[in-house]
């Protein structure tokens, strides 16, 4: 149980202020709040242990506690399991000697007790005690030496041997030995009770004087045969480095031998001190090879960091040490001499100083006292403060109690100290877990670099901070450091998240502006081909290639392009449009610069065909020949109709010629049939090329439904041009305006064309054709009375006779001139009459034969035997009404109707159903057969006759129905699966 006095013990902890100022908070955007009070760096708990007497000496290692008490008892306890403890009496040795110290190895397996004589009768003693034994053993080899310090072998883990160790005496001698045991037997010759496997004096620091060794430690550098040894006296700190190239014992003799020929002053660090003791402690990061030391003397604490693998001499070690003064008491009493610590222990960033009544914690970085703990009389005076070499735990031992110290986040505030000392790498290392603190370190480092005019490095650091963006930019603008500003902006861009679209856009445009300004500056002084210019250009291109930059440019194309154009950076503008595949902007740029051929080259080099429709108008105006060639090269990839706006705007003979070339390509090669294309080409032909117009009209043919142009439009167009009468004639004929066409041809004295038109009307329309030929005849004969020409004309047309053209001759022409023509005409009439008589006789004979066939059919009959069956149901034919066909196929009436009904058309099927319904009604009525009709047949007979005309008009198997249904499948699709399963 803990004592009641624990309630009144309040250790004073002085944590450094970790809060940010109000200004810093508003600038950084952080509010540093703590919901709970910070746990102190150092806190202690009292061990539930009450010694039987006052404690005089203590040793702790690997959770093993050994204390010597004033009643000459040695108490040992396992701190893991307090129930495991024992007590050993030291009375046998304390009658003539006094216990001076306890030394326990890092494993807790080996314990050495040192004794000094009380009087002349006694002598110094060194006793050994194993953890598994409670029997003290004497080391006879070392009698006569008072040992003050032990350097244990830190790599030894054996329970039966200590391995090579060093012992320091009160006279400055250093011995090397190894204590070995196996059960209760020792590995020594004969019956000697000596524990030492071997022993050897390896060095003499005191040179015969009473210079005690107050600190001693050695370590082996990992992965080598190199050893480092530290030895301390009240005024000196020795440092030995060497190699043990062989395993012969004594092992460390090889290290000390190196210093036999080296001046002694080169091996130690000396301070003035009137104290008869000093303390040497080490700290290691992983409890292995130490890298920090603290040497306590009268002047203060000599603290230093070292690297055992690199530091090979004392001069190097000296350069890494500094003196830490002892903290002054809160109220100085000049009447009382200054008190010095009795013990120290070292942590990573602090050193604990143990006085007889107080423990103080001092920060190693700024020497501030961060912890102070006073001990009251209930616990007695402080005896020692010990650090467990194996676990790193710290224990404070008073005369009546044992306390365990807990170290909690001692690195929490060191970043501020490192930051104040401009050790920014270390400050960042220890503030990385606290975003606000880490940001403050970055700001301090950036400000320091800015003040040193290392602007580019400063920009890099500022970019990592959360400082005001505008403030940092203004700092670099005020000192005209555009390159540093650019670095800041680029680094800042890397820290933004994709959702920060506004910030990304602003930074990207600003950085582009800076690059463009730098490039323009170089161009203005003629350095466009210099290495510096090319380096900036490469850097600029790399920036534009970044994903976030590329995405931003795509969303702000117009702004970026205008920015580049304002700087006259044509090259980068072209590159950017190519990279972003923004050919529209590139083409616009070339057109703006009147570089039409370059614009056309860009247009041809891309595959976005919408741009052809967009830029064809201007390119057709400026470079029509090359544009038409480009359009032709694209072939079917372009829609000619969409290019019409560009083609229609062209004026002039040269432009029209190029447009005609493209339209002819569309019609001849692409087989385009769009009416708008054909109409436009026809209009160009009508205006610029009459011959090609007629060739085009002829190529389209005279079938109105097959021509691709608008005939009415073409006719109106040609009628407006007096030189296109031939085209008007052809178009009028195409529209069926034969009379107008022939009249127009005759008006143009184009007799040949008129004759062609006269033959174009359909052959069955004889009257129209004759009328047209008569118009031509009138034109040929009227006013000329040329009998010979008239005769030749009559030979060209079979529709006109001499009597048709006689009215066109004048009254003075005599009939003698037409004698031959009239005779020929009469002969033709006579022959025509004779042909009609022959046709009438032939028709009479055919009618007579038909009548005879009808009469013979009335008397025709067929014999049917009783074993005949229906072709459909295979049942005897005569048991039901049936039909017999000349082809000898036989069917029951019901079977025939059921088979035939699906084959009938809708009209016949409906009529048949109606007749069957009428027949059914007539069959139910009486005296129907007596009812007379106009034909002499009863109503029932008439209905049955009509049913026979539908059903029995042809054989089901041999008639036309079977031929019409030849492609009908035998099995319907709906029944196929069912029938297929039946066949399996």
């Amino acid at each position: 149980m803990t004592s009641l006095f624990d309630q009144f013990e309040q250790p004073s902890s002085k944590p450094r202020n970790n809060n940010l100022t109000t200004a810093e908070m508003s600038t950084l955007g952080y509010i540093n709040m703590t919901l709970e009070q910070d746990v102190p760096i150092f806190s202690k708990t009292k061990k539930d242990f009450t010694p039987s007497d006052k404690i005089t000496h203590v040793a702790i290692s690997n959770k093993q506690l050994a204390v010597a008490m004033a009643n000459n008892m040695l108490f040992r306890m396992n701190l893991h399991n307090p129930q495991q403890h024992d007590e050993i009496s030291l009375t046998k040795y304390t009658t003539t000697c006094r216990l001076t110290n306890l030394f326990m190895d890092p494993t807790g397996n080996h314990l050495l007790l040192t004794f000094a004589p009380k009087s002349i009768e006694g002598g110094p003693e060194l006793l050994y005690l194993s953890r598994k034994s409670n029997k003290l053993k004497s080391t006879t080899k070392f009698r006569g030496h008072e040992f003050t310090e032990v350097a244990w072998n830190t790599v030894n883990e054996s329970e039966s041997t200590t391995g090579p160790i060093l012992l320091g005496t009160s006279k400055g001698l250093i011995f090397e030995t190894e204590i070995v045991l196996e059960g209760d037997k020792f590995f020594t010759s004969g019956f000697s009770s000596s524990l030492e496997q071997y022993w050897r004096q390896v060095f003499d620091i005191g040179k015969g004087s009473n210079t005690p060794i107050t600190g001693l430690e050695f370590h082996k550098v990992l992965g080598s045969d190199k050893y480092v040894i530290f030895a301390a006296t009240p005024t000196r700190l020795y440092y030995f480095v060497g190699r043990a190239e062989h395993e012969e014992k004594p092992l460390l003799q090889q290290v000390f031998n190196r210093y036999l020929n080296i001046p002694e002053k080169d091996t130690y660090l000396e301070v003035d001190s009137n104290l008869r003791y000093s303390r040497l402690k080490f700290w290691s990061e992983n409890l292995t090879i130490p890298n920090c030391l603290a040497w306590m003397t009268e002047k203060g604490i000599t603290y230093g960091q070292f690297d055992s693998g690199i530091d090979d001499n004392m001069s190097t070690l000296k350069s890494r040490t500094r003196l830490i003064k002892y903290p002054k008491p809160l109220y100085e009493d000049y009447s009382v001499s200054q008190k010095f610590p009795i013990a120290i222990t070292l942590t990573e960033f602090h050193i604990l100083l143990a006085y007889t009544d107080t423990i103080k914690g001092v920060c190693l970085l700024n020497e501030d006292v961060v912890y102070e703990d006073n001990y009251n009389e209930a616990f007695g005076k402080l005896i020692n403060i010990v650090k467990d070499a194996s676990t790193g735990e710290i224990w404070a031992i008073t005369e009546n109690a044992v306390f365990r110290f807990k170290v909690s986040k001692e690195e929490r505030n060191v970043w501020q100290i490192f930051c104040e000392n401009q050790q920014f790498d270390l400050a960042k290392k220890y503030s990385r877990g606290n975003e606000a603190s880490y940001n403050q370190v970055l700001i301090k480092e950036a400000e320091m670099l800015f003040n040193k005019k290392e602007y580019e490095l400063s920009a890099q650091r500022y970019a990592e901070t959360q400082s005001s963006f505008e403030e940092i930019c203004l700092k670099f603008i005020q000192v005209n450091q555009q390159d540093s500003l650019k670095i800041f902006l680029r680094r800042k861009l890397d820290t933004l998240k994709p959702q920060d679209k506004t910030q990304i856009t602003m930074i990207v445009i600003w950085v582009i502006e800076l690059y463009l300004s730098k490039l323009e500056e170089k161009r203005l002084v003629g350095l466009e081909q210099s290495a510096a210019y090319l380096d900036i250009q490469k850097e600029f291109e790399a920036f534009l290639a970044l994903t976030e930059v590329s995405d931003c440019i795509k969303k702000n194309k117009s702004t970026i392009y205008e920015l580049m154009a304002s700087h006259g950076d044509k090259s980068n503008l072209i590159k950017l449009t190519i990279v972003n595949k923004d050919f529209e902007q590139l083409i616009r740029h070339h057109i703006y610069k009147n570089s039409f051929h370059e614009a056309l080259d860009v247009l041809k080099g891309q595959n976005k065909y919408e741009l052809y429709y967009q830029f064809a108008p201007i390119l057709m105006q400026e470079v029509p020949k090359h544009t038409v060639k480009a359009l032709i090269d694209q072939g079917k990839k372009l829609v000619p109709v969409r290019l019409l706006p560009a083609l229609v705007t062209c004026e002039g003979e040269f432009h029209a010629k190029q447009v005609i070339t493209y339209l002819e390509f569309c019609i001849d090669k692409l087989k385009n049939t769009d009416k708008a294309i054909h109409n436009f080409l026809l209009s160009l032909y009508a205006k610029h090329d009459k011959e090609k117009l007629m060739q085009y009209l002829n190529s389209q043919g005279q079938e109105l439904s097959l021509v691709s142009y608008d005939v009415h439009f073409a006719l109106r167009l040609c009628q407006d041009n007096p030189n296109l009468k031939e085209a008007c004639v052809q178009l009028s004929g195409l529209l069926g305006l034969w009379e107008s066409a022939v009249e127009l041809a005759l008006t143009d004295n184009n007799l040949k064309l008129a004759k062609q038109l006269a033959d174009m009307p359909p052959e069955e329309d004889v009257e129209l054709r004759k009328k047209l030929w008569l118009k031509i005849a009138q034109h040929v004969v009227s006013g000329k009375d040329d009998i010979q020409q008239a005769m030749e004309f009559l030979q060209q047309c079979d529709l006109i006779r001499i009597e048709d053209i006689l009215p066109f001759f004048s009254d003075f022409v005599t009939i003698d001139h037409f004698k031959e023509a009239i005779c020929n005409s009469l002969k033709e009439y006579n022959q025509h009459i004779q042909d009609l008589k022959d046709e009438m006789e032939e028709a009479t004979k055919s009618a007579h034969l038909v009548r005879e066939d009808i009469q013979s059919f009335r008397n025709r009959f067929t014999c049917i035997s009783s074993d005949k069956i229906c072709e459909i149901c295979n049942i005897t034919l005569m048991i039901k009404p049936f039909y017999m066909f000349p082809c000898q196929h036989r069917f029951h009436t019901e079977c025939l109707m059921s088979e035939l009904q699906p084959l009938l058309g809708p009209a016949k099927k409906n009529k048949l159903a109606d007749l069957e319904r009428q027949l059914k009604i007539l069959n139910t009525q009486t005296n129907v057969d007596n009812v007379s009709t106009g034909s002499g047949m009863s109503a029932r007979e008439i209905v049955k006759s009509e049913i026979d005309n539908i059903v029995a008009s042809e054989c089901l198997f041999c008639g036309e129905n079977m031929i019409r249904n030849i492609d009908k499948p035998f099995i319907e699709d709906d029944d196929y699966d069912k029938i297929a399963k039946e066949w399996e």
Side-chain angles (χ1 to χ4, degrees), residues 505-522:
T505 302
M506 179 186 66
I507 292 178
V508 167
I509 295 176
W510 197 347
V511 173
I512 291 175
E513 167 71 22
L514 292 175
Y515 275 116
L516 293 174
S517 299
K518 194 70 174 179
L519 292 171
E520 183 180 17
E521 179 183 334
K522 295 289 184 182

Side-chain angles (χ1 to χ4, degrees), residues 191 339 341 360 390 533 558 611 630 642 795 861 904:
F191 299 96
K339 295 193 297 184
K360 294 183 179 181
S390 297
Y533 183 90
S558 58
L611 297 182
R642 297 187 62 184
Q795 293 177 357
F861 64 92
L904 297 176

Side-chain angles (χ1 to χ4, degrees), residues 906-923:
K908 286 187 176 182
K909 189 180 295 184
N910 293 333
K911 185 176 181 180
L912 180 61
D914 183 57
L915 291 172
E916 288 179 342
R917 186 169 56 256
Q918 292 180 25
L919 182 61
K920 186 176 181 181
I921 294 172
L922 292 173
N923 288 334

Side-chain angles (χ1 to χ4, degrees), residues 589-617:
H589 175 75
H590 284 306
I591 292 176
Y592 177 76
K593 297 293 184 180
N594 292 328
S595 302
F596 301 105
H597 289 284
E598 287 83 350
L600 185 59
D601 290 340
V602 174
L603 185 63
K604 292 189 295 183
Q606 54 86 42
N607 55 6
K608 190 176 180 181
Y609 300 106
E610 288 294 328
L611 297 182
Y612 280 90
Y613 311 125
Q614 184 175 353
F615 293 104

Side-chain angles (χ1 to χ4, degrees), residues 27-62:
T27 302
L28 305 179
Y30 293 110
I31 300 178
N32 192 20
M33 299 177 64
T34 56
L35 300 179
E36 298 180 359
Q37 186 175 359
D38 286 342
V39 177
I41 294 176
F42 297 102
S43 60
K44 69 176 183 178
T45 56
K46 183 176 180 295
K47 194 68 178 175
D48 191 9
F49 165 66
T50 303
S52 58
D53 203 340
K54 289 185 178 181
I55 298 174
T56 58
H57 300 84
V58 65
I60 299 176
S61 189
N62 197 21

Side-chain angles (χ1 to χ4, degrees), residues 409-431:
K409 298 181 181 179
E410 64 169 328
E411 74 281 359
R412 69 184 68 172
N413 299 321
V414 299
W415 65 269
Q416 290 180 305
I417 303 171
F418 285 129
C419 188
E420 292 171 0
N421 296 334
Q422 296 188 354
Q423 295 174 282
F424 296 109
D425 290 339
L426 292 172
K428 287 185 282 187
K429 175 182 177 182
Y430 291 103
S431 64

Side-chain angles (χ1 to χ4, degrees), residues 19 24 159 184 193 305 325 357 383 458 488 510 638 730 769 785 803 867 914 922 953:
N19 295 330
E24 290 169 333
E159 296 180 0
D184 294 330
S193 61
Q305 296 178 332
K325 296 290 186 179
D357 57 356
I383 300 301
S458 177
F488 169 72
W510 197 347
L638 298 176
Q730 190 163 341
R769 295 180 65 192
D785 295 336
E803 62 270 25
D867 59 345
D914 183 57
L922 292 173
S953 62

